[in-house]
Amino acid sequence: MAQRQRYREGIFEALRLSFLYFLLVLYLIPFFLVFVNAFKDRNQIIANPFRLPSAFHLANFIEAFRKMNYPYAFWNSLVITVLSTALIVFFSSMTAYLFARLPWKFNRFMFFLMVASMLIPFQAIMIPLVKIYGSFGLLNNRWTLMYMYLGFGCSFAVFLYHGAIKSIPLELEEAAMIDGCSRFQAFFKIVFPLLKPTTTTVAILDVLWIWNDFLLPSLVLISPRNRTLPLSTYYFYGTYTSEYGLLLASLILSITPVIIFYLFMQRHIIRGILQGSIK
Amino acid sequence: MRKLAFFLIAALVFSAAISVTASAKVNITFLNSKGEIQAQLEEIAALYSEIAKDVTVEVIPCPVGQSPFEKVVSMYASGNAPTIAMVDAGDVKKFQDKALNLTGERWVQDAIPGSLDMATLEDGTVVGFPFAVEGYGLIYNKKVLDKALGKSFDPSSIRTRKDLQALFEELKNAGVAPLVISPLDWSLGAHFFAIAYAAQSPDPKQVDAFLKDLRAGKVDLQQNSIVNGLLDTFDVMRAYNIDKDDPLSGTYDRGSYLLGTGEVAMWFMGNWAWPQLSELDPEGEYGFLPVPISDNPDDYGNSQIPVGATKFLILDREQSSEAEQQAAKDFLNWLVYDAKGQDMLVNKLSIIPAFKNITLEPKDPLAKSILQYVRAGKTLQFVLDLPADHWRMVGAFMQKYLGNAISRDELLDEIENYWKNVK
Amino acid sequence: MVSEKTPFGKVGTYLLFAGPTTFAFFTVVILPFLFGVYLTLTNWDGLSATYLFVGLKNYRMVFEDKAFWTSFGLTLKYVAYTVVLTNVIAFTLAYLLTSGIRGQNFLRAGFFVPNLIGGIVLGLIWRFVFSNVLVYVGKRFGWELFLRSWLAHPDKAFWALVIVSVWQSSGYMMVIYIAGLMGIPKDLVEAATIEGATGLQRLRYVILPLLTPFTTVCIFLSLQRGFIVYDLNKALTEGGPYKSTELVAMHVYEKAFLAQQYEIGQSEAFFLFAMIVGVTLAQVYLGKRLEVEQ
């Protein structure tokens, strides 16, 4: 009886597994297509997108690398992404700490305002934003961009940190403060290290967002030497049609770093969300 | 402490010196809205920067999905206006309070008559440089036609709708798909349907009056013989369209692919498609056939193809220094009057120039065909004073018609209503 | 160390911890937003050096713009399908991937990957799939369903949008649901099993209720993404065929920049924002109420 039960369970598991893998294959087909077609030239791609390339030659990649000014673009993307994420993590965690520990009316109001602001469609503030900063001559500058990412990214980060901090018992900080720590020190020595999972989650999500972001950099960074990777891939889009082979190669060059980053970090995402969720 | 101060002062002086020498070179920016010539423009910019030793030209691409108008607006709003901006013909006048007055420039006298219309204000001030002349119609692949007809195809033999239909029928009988219609809103709305406006009269003032009447709701399109004639031709084209069972699925790439590989004999498109065709068939012979609007060979519109200056360069007067403005003007003059500049314009960018003095012959067959029509005086107006979203809205209506979702009457009603309500 | 109890101390503490963030938030989000609201009361067309104050005229024109309301209705339909499908699939995947199957981590990573490609790129790849790849498959195997490009018909194009959105977001929501499922105390589930509850009953009476806060968050996020979708809309269908799949954000954008009626586009954007806030506030409120009741 028990054996039959286990047998049945085994079949169920096998069924579930095969269903999941089948679904996964379907999910990843677009990636397969991007990868395969990046090795072909434009007309081959149009003629038959499914056929495997005749040879895995790297011509597209090499040309895309050159045209994108890859080293510069990569460096720009890296600097902007890493620094912006660091800013967001540093400042948002402190802010969330304040909101979570000191529930003053003003804090509650600000928290609500921040969460609500996540709903503002970017197009609604795009032109006013550009007009304001442009009139101060602050555009075409990587620092301005990073500052804007802080402004845009802090809401979601504060939201995540807020939940996480609430789940950390007060006693730890209270003990420290009785011993003479200022609140500031208590935060950095005790609370922040405990927030590692959430920090990881915030970092991953922000890196994904900022690395792939196109619209904001296209408005703020104007000259070619300031371009980030997504901006440089747009080089390959023509007015009516595109250099598909080069385009796909440039896409792969552009998102590979972030995929690698993601694969390294992915097991931490769940832990981070878990920590941020217990209110 | 004193060492530090000394060091700081030295650093300040040094950087000041650097910036002084750096500013001796004038840097101008050029916003390019023609994606397919981006690489070539950058080469030309680099070349010019070497030739004109104290000027550097930087080419900025217009991102896909953004109209040139929108990109320029956001650049002005951000205080980073490009020194030279390539905008669509219909947008030039919108920038009049930001564009430099170019009436005194030498090339104004050398511009092909009519090409400056969209860039000339009421008081005669010229604010735009006609950058590219383009034309469109039924592109035919001569090799395919010759083979199917068993003789050398003579484009002047097609002068009426009946002729065209007979040609389609012959092609079909010879086993060749006669044509492909690309269901793109801009192709159908801004180009195909615009023939109906341009063919109303050879006199541009009459055409303008017609458009004004449309806005005032005074035109009954159902009664207009030219509009109906054009749509009758469209119906003939639809019947022989290789995609007639699924007319809305095609893409621009499919069109160029089918024509370039010889799977169809004709494609309704313009000379900007040459780069795509040349990739597939660099030695091919191609030309333009007009889209006939009636069965009377002498009617205006049956032997003419729309040709016009579609892209203009405007120079910024609001945010650029005198030196930058002059450098920009010099660059334009170089393109028009310098032998190397002309060579770059015509051969590298594959552009038909809008200036009489440039006698260089273009190398591509489509440009050659257009020049033939221009020299014979057989052209329709390409660029008309259409509302900014005309191509999108009327293009959408034409798509519905192409896909058999609405009838001819409904199509004309929608177009009439659009004009009545447009800004 | 200054005491926190005094007003001065409070301000000091606030500035220390939240000063930079608040400043950045205000100058990057709130200020442009308010400026934008102000602009909707003028007739600035985005370009001219001058503009006039026109009061609420623009908002009146918003009501008259039939296409805006059509696209809004279409967006509601799109959001409804997308939110439901995304969350159902995400939850199912999460449930399956927390049951201790082999290769769980690998599968979890795999399903999240679609989320890594964004916006325009995503749309273009899928446009390629729908108009070239699927048609090729349809012709090769004679499958009617794929013979004609899905993007050429209004209904199928709409579903193409839904499918791609679900494809992209389900991995993200799945991860949140996994976190939620992992946080459910095992003893509660065991207790229910001992009492004779079937899998389905366990799901209904123990697991789902405990997941409510996560569900609320997921629905909030998928609503937000759904209402303001633009990049995907533009790149996949471009609102076609013949504008039948033009969702509201795309309509607003084109109104402002294509039809060059910037003042109306901006006003519509704010209108949209107000409506989104209304819907999501209602949703979160309901979610919190459900939570409390447990």
Side-chain angles (χ1 to χ4, degrees), chain C residues 32-179:
Chain C
F33 180 76
L34 293 174
F35 185 46
V37 173
Y38 168 69
L39 284 178
T40 62
L41 301 174
T42 68
N43 67 352
W44 190 51
D45 65 354
L47 188 61
S48 334
T50 57
Y51 51 87
L52 302 165
F53 190 80
V54 294
L56 295 173
K57 177 172 133 197
N58 291 334
Y59 286 102
R60 225 182 315 136
M61 310 235 7
V62 169
F63 278 103
E64 288 173 16
D65 184 4
K66 247 185 13 174
F68 174 69
W69 295 102
T70 318
S71 69
F72 188 71
L74 192 69
T75 309
L76 282 176
K77 195 169 137 196
Y78 162 80
V79 165
Y81 282 115
T82 316
V83 168
V84 167
L85 282 172
T86 306
N87 283 284
V88 164
I89 293 182
F91 176 74
T92 313
L93 285 175
Y95 190 65
L96 286 172
L97 292 179
T98 45
S99 52
I101 292 186
R102 273 178 301 175
Q104 228 166 237
N105 266 326
F106 174 73
L107 283 166
R108 286 181 192 175
F111 282 110
F112 186 80
V113 167
N115 203 23
L116 298 175
I117 317 184
I120 303 235
V121 167
L122 181 69
L124 281 171
I125 296 177
W126 275 97
R127 189 199 277 217
F128 193 60
V129 169
F130 278 110
S131 46
N132 293 12
V133 174
L134 285 185
V135 173
Y136 175 80
V137 166
K139 287 204 183 121
R140 184 87 191 282
F141 297 109
W143 288 344
E144 246 264 37
L145 190 63
F146 292 138
L147 262 184
R148 317 245 174 115
S149 168
W150 274 40
L151 299 178
H153 302 101
D155 298 326
K156 294 205 196 129
F158 174 78
W159 283 105
L161 265 178
V162 171
I163 289 175
V164 179
S165 306
V166 170
W167 177 82
Q168 193 201 19
S169 305
S170 45
Y172 189 86
M173 305 298 158
M174 170 194 80
V175 162
I176 299 183
Y177 279 121
I178 288 179

Side-chain angles (χ1 to χ4, degrees), chain C residues 88-283:
Chain C
V88 164
I89 293 182
F91 176 74
T92 313
L93 285 175
Y95 190 65
L96 286 172
L97 292 179
T98 45
S99 52
I101 292 186
R102 273 178 301 175
Q104 228 166 237
N105 266 326
F106 174 73
L107 283 166
R108 286 181 192 175
F111 282 110
F112 186 80
V113 167
N115 203 23
L116 298 175
I117 317 184
I120 303 235
V121 167
L122 181 69
L124 281 171
I125 296 177
W126 275 97
R127 189 199 277 217
F128 193 60
V129 169
F130 278 110
S131 46
N132 293 12
V133 174
L134 285 185
V135 173
Y136 175 80
V137 166
K139 287 204 183 121
R140 184 87 191 282
F141 297 109
W143 288 344
E144 246 264 37
L145 190 63
F146 292 138
L147 262 184
R148 317 245 174 115
S149 168
W150 274 40
L151 299 178
H153 302 101
D155 298 326
K156 294 205 196 129
F158 174 78
W159 283 105
L161 265 178
V162 171
I163 289 175
V164 179
S165 306
V166 170
W167 177 82
Q168 193 201 19
S169 305
S170 45
Y172 189 86
M173 305 298 158
M174 170 194 80
V175 162
I176 299 183
Y177 279 121
I178 288 179
L181 284 167
M182 280 171 53
I184 293 182
K186 277 225 159 78
D187 22 345
L188 270 175
V189 180
E190 275 167 16
T193 322
I194 292 175
E195 303 220 359
T198 65
L200 220 58
Q201 285 171 321
R202 278 204 303 266
L203 197 63
R204 216 178 129 204
Y205 294 110
V206 180
I207 298 182
L208 282 178
L210 283 173
L211 270 185
T212 314
F214 292 89
T215 317
T216 311
V217 166
C218 277
I219 296 187
F220 173 76
L221 289 175
S222 24
L223 276 176
Q224 179 218 22
R225 284 177 173 212
F227 272 114
I228 63 178
V229 65
Y230 170 72
D231 290 356
L232 181 64
N233 192 194
K234 173 99 193 165
L236 184 66
T237 65
E238 259 193 284
Y242 43 83
K243 294 186 139 249
S244 54
T245 57
E246 190 178 82
L247 297 176
V248 70
M250 187 169 177
H251 173 86
V252 165
Y253 186 89
E254 299 215 330
K255 196 82 177 156
F257 294 108
L258 198 62
Q260 290 164 19
Q261 295 179 319
Y262 175 75
E263 64 277 22
I264 304 199
Q266 185 80 359
S267 315
E268 286 177 353
F270 281 100
F271 220 86
L272 176 65
F273 168 67
M275 289 195 270
I276 297 176
V277 169
V279 171
T280 44
L281 271 183
Q283 177 251 325

Side-chain angles (χ1 to χ4, degrees), chain A residues 48-68:
Chain A
N48 182 354
F50 255 132
R51 184 180 308 156
L52 290 174
S54 44
F56 280 90
H57 55 88
L58 294 173
N60 280 342
F61 287 91
I62 297 177
E63 198 180 336
F65 188 91
R66 211 178 34 87
K67 282 202 169 144
M68 284 163 84

Side-chain angles (χ1 to χ4, degrees), chain B residues 308-347:
Chain B
T310 50
K311 290 281 192 190
F312 280 82
L313 302 181
I314 56 169
L315 270 54
D316 171 54
R317 78 157 182 245
E318 197 186 73
Q319 293 176 17
S320 304
S321 70
E322 286 250 6
E324 288 165 347
Q325 292 171 3
Q326 187 56 45
K329 285 189 193 173
D330 291 340
F331 180 62
L332 293 186
N333 281 326
W334 179 76
L335 285 174
V336 180
Y337 295 109
D338 182 279
K340 193 85 184 119
Q342 292 178 351
D343 175 44
M344 291 286 107
L345 192 65
V346 175
N347 294 320

Side-chain angles (χ1 to χ4, degrees), chain A residues 97 101 165-179 181 183 186 190-191 194:
Chain A
Y97 178 71
R101 291 300 186 224
I165 294 176
K166 280 259 186 215
S167 70
I168 295 179
L170 263 172
E171 296 84 52
L172 294 167
E173 296 142 62
E174 283 179 346
M177 289 204 285
I178 289 173
D179 279 349
C181 264
R183 196 179 270 283
I190 299 181
V191 182
L194 289 175

Side-chain angles (χ1 to χ4, degrees), chain B residues 114-155:
Chain B
S115 61
L116 288 175
D117 288 350
M118 294 306 283
T120 314
L121 306 177
E122 300 263 322
D123 60 3
T125 322
V126 174
V127 289
F129 172 95
F131 185 68
V133 168
E134 299 181 316
Y136 61 89
L138 287 164
I139 308 180
Y140 61 83
N141 182 333
K142 189 156 192 303
K143 275 193 240 165
V144 173
L145 283 173
D146 289 349
K147 185 152 167 254
L149 300 172
K151 60 178 166 95
S152 181
F153 174 68
D154 176 15

Side-chain angles (χ1 to χ4, degrees), chain B residues 104-351:
Chain B
E105 293 299 298
R106 191 174 148 206
W107 43 261
V108 172
Q109 310 304 323
D110 285 319
I112 297 178
S115 61
L116 288 175
D117 288 350
M118 294 306 283
T120 314
L121 306 177
E122 300 263 322
D123 60 3
T125 322
V126 174
V127 289
F129 172 95
F131 185 68
V133 168
E134 299 181 316
Y136 61 89
L138 287 164
I139 308 180
Y140 61 83
N141 182 333
K142 189 156 192 303
K143 275 193 240 165
V144 173
L145 283 173
D146 289 349
K147 185 152 167 254
L149 300 172
K151 60 178 166 95
S152 181
F153 174 68
D154 176 15
S156 57
S157 64
I158 310 294
R159 307 207 296 159
T160 64
R161 187 184 317 121
K162 273 214 205 75
D163 292 340
L164 187 65
Q165 187 161 8
L167 178 63
F168 285 157
E169 190 65 31
E170 256 198 86
L171 288 168
K172 186 167 133 202
N173 292 334
V176 172
L179 88 157
V180 60
I181 303 179
S182 290
L184 306 160
D185 52 6
W186 50 268
S187 176
L188 297 173
H191 301 155
F192 191 84
F193 195 77
I195 297 176
Y197 306 136
Q200 294 290 326
S201 160
D203 177 7
K205 290 215 191 20
Q206 298 271 18
V207 175
D208 270 344
F210 181 74
L211 295 178
K212 267 212 195 55
D213 285 343
L214 269 173
R215 279 183 212 250
K218 288 198 230 156
V219 178
D220 183 359
L221 289 173
Q222 256 95 337
Q223 304 295 329
N224 189 299
S225 58
I226 297 177
V227 171
N228 280 298
L230 180 71
L231 290 175
D232 286 338
T233 310
F234 192 61
D235 288 339
V236 169
M237 284 166 64
R238 283 202 290 168
Y240 290 93
N241 180 9
I242 192 179
D243 282 337
K244 76 164 183 274
D245 291 327
D246 194 14
L248 295 178
S249 62
T251 58
Y252 176 84
D253 290 318
R254 177 171 166 72
S256 64
Y257 184 76
L258 290 176
L259 188 70
T261 52
E263 274 189 56
V264 297
M266 298 197 226
W267 181 34
F268 175 74
M269 197 40 70
N271 71 304
W272 51 82
W274 176 243
Q276 285 77 48
L277 289 172
S278 74
E279 262 181 36
L280 292 159
D281 187 16
E283 309 297 317
E285 291 176 68
Y286 297 87
F288 281 103
L289 271 186
V291 177
I293 50 152
S294 74
D295 280 326
N296 181 347
D298 296 320
D299 278 348
Y300 177 67
N302 281 336
S303 336
Q304 290 83 2
I305 64 169
V307 177
T310 50
K311 290 281 192 190
F312 280 82
L313 302 181
I314 56 169
L315 270 54
D316 171 54
R317 78 157 182 245
E318 197 186 73
Q319 293 176 17
S320 304
S321 70
E322 286 250 6
E324 288 165 347
Q325 292 171 3
Q326 187 56 45
K329 285 189 193 173
D330 291 340
F331 180 62
L332 293 186
N333 281 326
W334 179 76
L335 285 174
V336 180
Y337 295 109
D338 182 279
K340 193 85 184 119
Q342 292 178 351
D343 175 44
M344 291 286 107
L345 192 65
V346 175
N347 294 320
K348 202 148 202 49
L349 299 179
S350 295
I351 273 182

Side-chain angles (χ1 to χ4, degrees), chain A residues 28 41 55 60 62 92 119 125 132 140 148 163 168 225 244 277:
Chain A
L28 295 180
D41 75 47
N60 280 342
I62 297 177
S92 306
L119 296 169
I125 49 178
I132 294 176
N140 212 14
M148 286 182 178
I168 295 179
R225 67 197 113 83
Y244 293 117
S277 61

